[in-house]
Amino acid sequence: MTRLAYLFEAKGVQRYILSGGRLLDIAGGSELLASAIRPDGGDLLDACLAVAGFQPDFSRRAGGVFMLHIDGKDRDSFDRFRAVWTLAFSLRMPGLEFAEALAEADTDLAARDRCYRPLSDNGARLLHLSAARENTAAALLSVAGPFAERAPRSGMPALDVLDDEPVDESTRARRKAARSQQGPGRWPAADILLNDDQKKSYVWPVEMDADEASDRNYAFPFNGREPEWIGLVHADVSGLGETFNALTNATTDRGDAIEASRQLSDAIEQAIVEALRAAAAILLENAQPDRFGNSGDDKIIPARPVLVGGDDLTLIVRGDLALGFAERFLEAFEQLSAKRLKTLADTLKIPQIDRTLSACAGVVFAKSRQPFHQLLGLSESLCSHAKKVVKAGLADGETPASALAFHRITTSHIDADYADIIERELRAGKRLLTAQPYRVGSIKPRGAVATFADLQGLSQSLKSGQLGRGSLREIRTLVHNREADAQRIYARWRQIGHRRHTKSLDNFSKALETVLVSVDADLPFGGEKAGRLKDATPLFDAMDMEAVE
């Protein structure tokens, strides 16, 4: 018996959604993607299946990705479906790239593995797909002639004028999707963070600039402080590969391998959604009334989901809430993934998947008028940095800790690689002006990784005390090339603090030592016994936290 597996994956989804720059277009892009592929159906994919009269089995279906499985004799039906699907997807989201793979083997598992690992030697064969290539652009965008007007936000040829603004083909699709929503503040892709009762009382913003807001397009509710900071939060689940491999090894000789894989995907998706709803509590607590007074008792949520499907997620959150949101999500996901996987392991009688999953997050703080797409690469790099640190020294199959890393943009140049930022901005000789990342949750890493709770304690010691910040900011500058002067100023700062605000200085010293374990005598950096944090400091991370609140 020959089995076929087909993998479809949208590429660069977050960048596509964020590329317009306007929050309204981001909202429309999120809705477009969610309407194309949903875990529970009722989407564009279902419509294409119905048109083609095609009924495959699915092992994965969420976040712009799906994998289907059919018998080899149904290849003609598949070809009809694929012709309809790729056309419909291209028209729905012009400019979004996607990749495809089709493989055959004697079993569904082998065909699936061939789609994911084309060079594996599992006996499967990657088949030819007509008119397909890696990273195929969905409906190639229009080419501009020499006299064509261009859209100011993207530089692409303008095909329409919406809201008195020339827009390109991709922006037009997203803008129209945003305009066609079922009612003010109601966005199915974003509403996944809310339960049914909350949907009756809370709405989502679609304009970052209050001057562009209306009784239908709610403005982002800032906290009234200047400057207006936003945090782009990107989180990614760890340990998925090991979990699916454990499932595969346990079901190789069973007839329910693909169904078990689908159930595992669904369980992880449910854990992510439940964790997001738990984290959303901090957003709802800080929601604000509509300033136009046209939404009854509705309150505007200080956030905007960008992508919340699949194994990673991206959201725009008000700056003072971003780290708290990320912390709550990471903590809740650890707990909920353990609960969901235990239930599934008991149901399937596969104890190998009874485990706890973790996740890491990267948060970029920028002023609200900063183009969002410029922040995405850095948020992903911060997330990767956190993953790399907590995975160091782990044995195969060992679950890494959850952690978050963040960076506040203070320069005109935004680098997408956090390693470059470390070398250019955060390294001063042997000194490192950060202690990123910070651990969250109950899983402990092998190396020295400070907890986020300890960083919050350090930040609180600065806020609640009466210690001056000016000298600390001066030290941040001087340590790059005048360390002796930095040491002198720090000694003087501590001397004044001890004389005038002894209790505040003691609280600060204890909080600093809690983070670093061992503190250098001359400057607030890790000492000889601080492990990975030797010559690193959390002090300026704590000050950055305070700056965005």
Side-chain angles (χ1 to χ4, degrees):
M1 179 180 68
T2 300
R3 299 292 294 175
L4 298 179
Y6 171 66
L7 173 66
F8 178 92
E9 181 173 5
K11 295 289 190 178
V13 173
Q14 290 100 326
R15 193 167 302 281
Y16 174 82
I17 294 173
L18 290 169
S19 61
R22 188 174 173 183
L23 197 61
L24 180 67
D25 299 333
I26 292 171
S30 297
E31 296 302 320
L32 279 179
L33 184 70
S35 69
I37 304 173
R38 290 194 178 103
D40 54 355
D43 50 13
L44 179 66
L45 180 56
D46 266 357
C48 294
L49 291 169
V51 168
F54 187 51
Q55 295 181 325
D57 297 321
F58 287 90
S59 61
R60 185 180 181 188
R61 182 172 177 168
V65 182
F66 69 84
M67 176 173 278
L68 60 79
H69 304 266
I70 59 172
D71 193 278
K73 64 184 180 182
D74 294 329
R75 175 65 189 267
D76 290 343
S77 297
F78 163 77
D79 288 339
R80 287 195 299 272
F81 156 74
R82 178 176 169 267
V84 174
W85 166 250
T86 52
L87 176 62
F89 185 85
S90 298
L91 293 175
R92 178 70 64 94
M93 279 165 286
L96 178 59
E97 296 181 347
F98 60 85
E100 304 171 274
L102 177 67
E104 70 174 9
D106 294 335
T107 66
D108 286 326
L109 281 178
R112 183 197 68 181
D113 290 346
R114 181 57 173 167
C115 282
Y116 284 124
R117 294 187 292 272
L119 299 179
S120 63
D121 56 356
N122 56 17
R125 183 168 63 88
L126 198 64
L127 302 180
H128 173 69
L129 283 170
S130 61
R133 61 184 176 86
E134 181 71 12
N135 295 339
T136 300
L140 294 176
L141 298 177
S142 304
V143 178
F147 303 107
E149 183 173 11
R150 293 182 178 270
R153 292 182 186 268
S154 66
M156 298 295 291
L159 297 184
D160 206 341
V161 177
L162 299 176
D163 302 328
D164 299 322
E165 174 190 357
V167 295
D168 58 46
E169 187 175 0
S170 176
T171 303
R172 177 174 64 179
R174 285 174 286 164
R175 185 79 55 88
K176 287 187 174 181
R179 296 295 190 204
S180 66
Q181 289 310 302
Q182 49 191 263
R186 289 279 64 86
W187 303 84
D191 280 350
I192 195 172
L193 274 71
L194 309 177
N195 61 37
D196 290 340
D197 289 337
Q198 291 166 346
K199 293 174 186 177
K200 300 174 184 178
S201 304
Y202 296 93
V203 294
W204 297 98
V206 292
E207 296 290 0
M208 194 60 70
D209 189 343
D211 293 337
E212 295 180 336
S214 66
D215 60 346
R216 181 182 177 89
N217 295 334
Y218 304 121
F220 199 96
F222 288 100
N223 58 13
R225 302 187 187 99
E226 294 289 343
E228 297 174 334
W229 290 97
I230 58 98
L232 186 68
V233 181
H234 177 80
D236 194 13
V237 177
S238 303
L240 287 183
E242 293 85 351
T243 306
F244 275 96
N245 287 339
L247 179 71
T248 298
N249 294 334
T251 56
T252 299
D253 298 325
R254 293 171 44 159
D256 63 345
I258 294 303
E259 174 61 18
S261 180
R262 183 193 63 77
Q263 290 186 41
L264 178 57
S265 294
D266 290 348
I268 295 170
E269 181 79 13
Q270 289 164 355
I272 291 173
V273 170
E274 290 170 355
L276 281 169
R277 289 181 176 178
I282 192 174
L283 305 178
L284 303 186
E285 292 165 3
N286 290 274
Q288 298 178 13
D290 170 30
R291 69 185 179 95
F292 290 95
N294 293 315
S295 58
D297 296 328
D298 288 347
K299 293 184 177 181
I300 307 172
I301 303 169
R304 181 77 230 186
V306 176
L307 180 68
V308 293
D311 58 0
D312 61 358
L313 54 101
T314 306
L315 301 94
I316 299 167
V317 182
R318 200 175 76 195
D320 59 316
L321 306 176
L323 290 176
F325 175 87
E327 179 192 23
R328 290 195 189 186
F329 169 76
L330 296 177
E331 290 178 336
F333 179 71
E334 273 191 21
Q335 300 167 5
L336 292 165
S337 66
K339 178 181 177 181
R340 285 285 182 181
L341 292 187
K342 177 173 176 51
T343 299
L344 184 61
D346 293 342
T347 300
L348 298 177
K349 295 180 171 57
I350 303 176
Q352 294 90 330
I353 62 171
D354 184 0
R355 58 180 66 194
T356 299
L357 296 178
S358 61
C360 287
V363 183
V364 179
F365 293 104
K367 294 177 183 177
S368 60
R369 295 185 181 275
Q370 187 72 45
F372 300 120
H373 68 275
Q374 295 182 6
L375 311 178
L376 178 61
L378 180 53
S379 68
E380 293 173 334
S381 181
L382 284 161
C383 183
S384 297
H385 173 71
K387 279 193 168 189
K388 180 181 178 181
V389 171
V390 297
K391 286 183 176 180
L394 295 184
D396 290 343
E398 193 173 355
T399 303
S402 297
L404 60 83
F406 62 90
H407 182 73
R408 183 169 67 100
I409 299 296
T410 58
T411 62
S412 58
H413 174 71
I414 301 177
D415 203 311
D417 190 340
Y418 185 58
D420 290 342
I421 290 178
I422 289 176
E423 295 304 318
R424 190 178 64 250
E425 300 178 25
L426 303 177
R427 189 174 295 285
K430 68 176 184 177
R431 306 290 191 183
L432 189 61
L433 308 185
T434 180
Q436 309 276 359
Y438 294 93
R439 175 168 61 86
V440 174
S442 60
I443 304 172
K444 294 183 179 180
R446 293 292 182 90
V449 181
T451 69
F452 183 65
D454 289 342
L455 179 67
Q456 288 176 308
L458 179 62
S459 177
Q460 187 61 34
S461 74
L462 289 171
K463 287 189 289 187
S464 61
Q466 297 173 302
L467 302 174
R469 308 291 196 283
S471 294
L472 297 180
R473 286 190 287 268
E474 191 174 0
I475 291 169
R476 188 176 195 168
T477 301
L478 291 175
V479 75
H480 283 277
N481 49 27
R482 294 166 58 189
E483 184 166 313
D485 288 341
Q487 292 174 350
R488 178 180 52 79
I489 291 173
Y490 183 60
R492 178 62 176 166
W493 178 81
R494 291 189 63 88
Q495 184 182 48
I496 294 174
H498 180 72
R499 188 171 64 245
R500 298 179 180 176
H501 312 292
T502 304
K503 186 176 180 180
S504 294
L505 182 65
D506 288 345
N507 290 337
F508 167 79
S509 299
K510 290 176 183 178
L512 184 63
E513 190 167 353
T514 298
V515 178
L516 293 175
V517 178
S518 171
V519 182
D520 189 300
D522 298 321
L523 283 170
F525 289 81
E528 291 295 331
K529 298 181 181 180
R532 186 187 69 87
L533 298 179
K534 181 179 180 295
D535 294 323
T537 182
L539 175 58
F540 306 122
D541 295 334
M543 292 174 65
D544 281 341
M545 284 179 60
E546 188 178 5
V548 299
E549 293 179 349

